[in-house]
């Protein structure tokens, strides 16, 4: 045991320097100020990151984040934490590459152990068509400086010896897209890390505070409604993930989004055996092993639009069947927990970020099944967008206006999750 740890233990209760707790929910607008420079709707990773970068990069600290539940209790706390930049379109690759770069230094930036763990990411190809897409992605990635390449069974066996690479398998593995920087991290720590760092810069964070309406006058956002009354704001940013359409409707906006449940589960803890993150689009399954030894597993999104976080037996059955094709020896492993989040799907599988037709109303949405890895970049560049009132260059391809201009950013081939 390190001496410093022993000394800390012997010093007794209260000796360990605990970080300051977050503020308790406050009644809004209460007896306090009824106006803020910026109100952020949604206290998930994205909303909190945007609040943090507004304060850090733009000196805007008069910010209130309003969260209807608890911090990180939405999709941020429900996702399977895969971080990668091996997308298909140049626009997507550049954006996610920037997010991965920010993620790699985030522990130090926020002063929180995010347990960021670089694992390598394998997207398996079981068909010629999948191999072709993998080759295409590798080409775009390499051209833009992202480390990805095509690998074949001999090298896959070295990278992930536990995979069933038998040519006699029902869906034999022909090759894979290998992305060495692919990583996982502790999702709740990302939300709380941003919350802590934002609060230290003066941002106010209110949990248990639902926004029930948006005040729009003369085509301009003027504030939000809560059970405690109206909170006026110069600018409003919505970052409400699976409830994006409903929030946008409060501001009179209609989004091209359908919402479907996305489920996942974890196994009981096992001895570490799986270093890589393994994804099979054809088998509708993906898996990684957490630092605790749990297999973190997911599959396709649910087939029909629904606002629900209810897990189903059907999901678990099909996931188990598919996963056993890849790792037949885990047949006796028990599933410990299963859950669902709500995924806001856009027609092109890319997010919607930036300015909107309502002046001073900004949107960070359409994060479907892919938004955890985007948390730092979405936060940083949405903060720039809110501060300047203009669409940052990196976010230009993801503007809401692209749907009217037929300028889609088609990322379905890199989505990881079947749909
Ligand atoms: P959230 O964390 O959902 O935050 C939005 C918040 O807004 C919520 O806390 C909600 O309570 C709040 N809110 C909503 N309406 C209101 C209101 N009216 N007033 C106040 N607050 C409100 N992405 C990846 O990159 N990698 C993955 O491996 C991955 N796996 C996933 C697995 C699953 C099972 C799911 C469901 C998603 C997965 N995703 C993944 C997607 C990712 O989780 C999301 O895209 C991302 O977390 C979105 O972050 P957010 O901060 O925008 O949303
Ligand atoms: O975007 O990599 C991803 C992902 C994997 C599982 C869900 N999303």
């Amino acid at each position: 045991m390190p001496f410093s740890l022993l000394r800390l233990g012997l010093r007794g209760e209260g000796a360990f320097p605990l970080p300051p707790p977050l503020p308790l929910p406050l009644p809004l607008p209460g007896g306090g100020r009824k106006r803020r420079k910026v109100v952020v709707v949604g206290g998930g990773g994205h909303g909190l990151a945007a609040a943090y970068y507004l304060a850090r990069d733009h000196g805007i600290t008069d910010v209130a984040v309003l969260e209807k539940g608890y911090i990180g209790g939405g999709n941020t706390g429900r996702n399977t934490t895969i971080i990668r930049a091996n997308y298909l379109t140049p626009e997507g690759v550049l954006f996610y590459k920037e997010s991965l770069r920010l993620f790699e230094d985030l522990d130090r930036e926020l002063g929180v152990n995010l347990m960021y763990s670089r694992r390598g990411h394998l997207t398996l190809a079981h068909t010629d068509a999948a191999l072709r897409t993998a080759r295409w992605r590798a080409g775009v990635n390499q051209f833009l400086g992202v480390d990805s390449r095509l690998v074949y069974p001999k090298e896959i066996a070295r990278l992930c010896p536990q995979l069933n690479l038998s040519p006699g398998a029902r869906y034999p593995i022909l090759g894979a897209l290998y992305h060495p920087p692919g990583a996982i991290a502790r999702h709740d720590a990302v939300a709380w890390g941003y919350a802590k760092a934002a609060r230290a810069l003066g941002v106010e964070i209110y949990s248990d505070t639902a926004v029930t309406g948006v005040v729009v006058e003369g085509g301009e956002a003027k504030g939000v409604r809560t059970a405690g009354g109206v909170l006026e704001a110069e600018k409003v940013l919505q970052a409400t993930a699976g409830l994006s359409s409903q929030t946008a409707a409060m501001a009179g906006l209609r989004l091209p989004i359908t919402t479907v449940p996305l489920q996942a589960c974890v196994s009981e803890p096992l001895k570490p055996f799986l270093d890589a993150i393994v994804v099979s689009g054809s088998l509708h399954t993906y898996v990684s092993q957490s630092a605790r030894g749990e297999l973190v597993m997911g599959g396709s999104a649910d087939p029909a639009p629904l606002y629900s976080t209810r897990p189903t037996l059907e999901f678990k059955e099909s996931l188990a069947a598919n996963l056993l094709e890849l790792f037949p020896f885990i047949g006796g492993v028990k599933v410990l927990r299963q859950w669902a989040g709500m995924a806001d799907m856009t027609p092109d599988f890319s997010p919607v970020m930036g300015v909107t037709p309502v002046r001073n109303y900004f949107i960070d949405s359409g994060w479907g099944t892919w938004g955890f890895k985007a948390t730092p970049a979405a936060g940083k560049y949405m903060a720039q967008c809110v501060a300047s009132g203009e669409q940052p260059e990196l976010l230009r391809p993801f503007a809401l206006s692209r749907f009217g201009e037929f300028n889609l950013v088609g990322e379905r081939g890199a989505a990881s999750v079947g749909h």
Side-chain angles (χ1 to χ4, degrees):
M1 180 187 292
F3 181 64
S4 56
L5 195 59
L6 189 64
R7 202 176 47 195
L8 205 61
L10 291 175
R11 250 197 264 154
E13 216 186 332
F16 189 74
L18 286 173
L22 283 164
L24 289 170
L26 296 174
L28 264 174
R33 291 179 304 122
K34 291 186 167 51
R35 185 173 173 79
R36 299 292 186 282
K37 187 148 181 116
V38 179
V39 166
V40 178
V41 187
H46 286 227
L48 293 162
Y52 168 71
Y53 292 111
L54 272 168
R56 192 201 75 169
D57 294 353
H58 306 281
I60 301 175
T61 56
D62 186 17
V63 178
V65 180
L66 310 187
E67 164 54 49
K68 78 178 174 69
Y70 61 94
I71 299 305
N75 283 353
T76 299
R78 294 164 190 268
N79 77 83
T80 44
T81 84
I82 295 172
I83 299 163
R84 60 188 174 89
N86 58 354
Y87 275 77
L88 180 64
T89 68
E91 298 86 346
V93 172
L94 287 173
F95 175 79
Y96 292 106
K97 178 186 172 190
E98 169 67 354
S99 209
L100 201 143
R101 184 186 73 78
L102 294 168
F103 243 128
E104 282 175 342
D105 200 34
L106 205 54
D107 287 64
R108 221 151 41 90
E109 168 79 31
L110 302 180
V112 168
N113 184 2
L114 303 177
M115 296 176 74
Y116 189 88
S117 177
R118 186 179 154 122
R119 297 296 188 84
H121 183 279
L122 282 166
T123 310
L124 304 178
H126 305 266
T127 62
D128 287 343
L131 214 48
R132 178 179 170 274
T133 308
R135 190 173 293 118
W136 179 2
R137 283 167 70 182
V140 178
N141 289 186
Q142 286 164 20
F143 184 70
L144 295 169
V146 167
D147 188 4
S148 288
R149 63 193 154 88
L150 214 54
V151 290
Y152 294 96
K154 208 164 147 198
E155 189 167 358
I156 299 173
R158 189 181 61 74
L159 292 165
C160 188
Q162 303 78 12
L163 260 175
N164 177 15
L165 283 157
S166 158
R170 189 145 65 108
Y171 300 100
I173 296 167
L174 307 181
L177 178 71
Y178 179 48
H179 177 50
I184 51 175
R186 233 183 82 197
H187 46 17
D188 51 348
V190 172
W192 286 88
Y194 272 119
K196 185 176 147 243
R199 204 185 75 141
L201 295 174
V203 168
E204 296 166 61
I205 299 165
Y206 298 88
S207 44
D208 282 332
T209 307
V211 166
T212 54
V214 177
V215 183
V216 179
E217 285 168 13
E220 183 171 351
K222 298 283 188 185
V224 298
R225 291 178 214 287
T226 72
V230 169
L231 183 63
E232 294 170 16
E234 269 177 43
K235 301 181 178 193
V236 177
L237 165 63
Q238 80 156 69
T240 52
L243 293 169
S244 292
S245 306
Q246 297 184 354
T247 317
M250 294 180 199
L253 295 169
R254 197 159 157 247
L255 300 181
I257 280 176
T258 46
T259 303
V260 292
L262 180 67
Q263 304 189 43
C265 60
V266 292
S267 73
E268 60 186 324
L270 305 171
K271 265 170 107 168
F273 73 92
L274 183 63
D275 201 39
I277 303 157
V278 177
V279 179
S280 165
S282 310
L283 282 171
H284 300 294
T285 187
Y286 63 89
V287 59
S288 68
Q289 190 171 23
S290 75
R292 275 198 297 232
E294 297 165 338
L295 295 178
V296 182
M297 305 169 280
S300 296
D302 283 12
L306 196 63
Y307 286 105
S308 164
T309 52
R310 200 187 53 169
T312 62
L313 180 61
E314 189 195 15
F315 165 82
K316 199 159 39 194
E317 277 176 348
S318 69
L319 180 72
N322 289 332
L323 210 57
L324 286 172
E325 297 280 341
L326 301 177
F327 301 100
F329 61 92
I330 62 169
V333 171
K334 295 186 181 64
V335 168
L336 207 63
R337 292 188 302 281
Q338 185 188 355
W339 66 90
M342 293 183 294
D344 267 5
M345 305 303 300
T346 53
D348 58 359
F349 289 60
S350 281
V352 180
M353 285 184 277
V355 298
T356 72
V358 176
R359 276 195 312 287
N360 290 330
Y361 193 82
F362 303 86
I363 191 161
D364 172 70
S365 70
W367 284 112
T369 65
W370 48 82
F372 175 68
K373 69 180 78 58
T375 307
K380 185 169 160 61
Y381 292 90
M382 280 311 303
Q384 184 183 327
C385 184
V386 172
S388 68
E390 283 167 19
Q391 191 85 5
E393 196 53 41
L394 193 65
L395 305 192
R396 209 170 278 278
F398 305 110
L400 178 58
S401 58
R402 77 177 183 275
F403 297 100
E405 295 158 359
F406 301 100
N407 253 335
L408 302 196
V409 187
E411 285 291 5
R412 190 183 192 127
S416 270
V417 174
H419 296 274

